[in-house]
Amino acid sequence: MMADSSDQYESVLCVKSEVHVYRIPPRSSNRGYRAADWKLEEPAWSGRMKITAKGKIAFIKLEDRNTGELFAQAPVDQYPGIIVEAVTDSSRYFVIRIEDGNGRHAFIGLGFADRGDSFDFNVALQDHFKWVKQESELARQEASQVSVPKLDLGFKEGQTIKINIGNMKKKEPSGAAAKSRPMGSLLPPPPGVKSAALVPPPAAQQSTPAAPPSAGTLLDFGDSAPVAAPPSQDLWGDFTAAGSGSAQDSRTGWVQF
């Protein structure tokens, strides 16, 4: 909630160094004011304009640009509204209602030499009253929250509650749970199937190939014990003498065909 206006500080919203004030004729129709009906080349007063804000109210102050003496001011309680009204034929001119503080008021024309100044004048008033609207919404929400009774969820004096924990399972420690769980490798095999874990492994196969039979065994049919030839003797030397006499043939044990 906003404090009383006497306790609030006054902030400056906008300052323009050159504005012009015009005497305006009475409104001729309900369509609005026209700046073309004023004597724009003969302003009634020229000086500085300042927009200030105090609480929810904005003040348009017309001051002497050298001394700062107040010429007139227009308190604005809402915008747009009847306090500040744009003309129908230009964006640089407005009609404002000034007050003297004694209940008397008058309507005057306010003009800006530059369009940018008139744009800033318009935006400053719009931003202020947008803020006023937001503050009013927040105050309304706070008031509605205060009016709603709060739920009392606390325990009254002597009030107790009962919790049934009889059906809760006792949590086993991780070590005991691991011991009670059977290992997968100790499960019995299905009926009729031998477990691979219980079959003894076959004898290790010799990785070295069997030694080939000696040349003496292939050549000697009479003696069961193989006789190894001397390293220097050529085992196939007898074949070179296949065409020799029968005595040599009978010595080698071969039959000539």
Side-chain angles (χ1 to χ4, degrees), residues 1 5 19 31 38 55 57 75 80-81 94 132 137 150 176 188 190 194 198 205 213 217 231 240 252:
M1 201 174 225
S5 59
V19 294
R31 291 183 300 178
W38 309 344
I57 306 299
F94 299 86
V132 170
E137 291 292 334
K150 296 182 179 180
K194 285 187 176 182
L198 301 179
Q205 299 293 333
T217 306
T240 60
T252 56

Side-chain angles (χ1 to χ4, degrees), residues 237-238 241 244-253:
D238 292 341
S244 61
S246 59
Q248 188 178 2
D249 296 338
S250 61
R251 186 174 62 250
T252 56

Side-chain angles (χ1 to χ4, degrees), residues 118 122 171:
S118 64
N122 190 30
K171 185 176 179 182

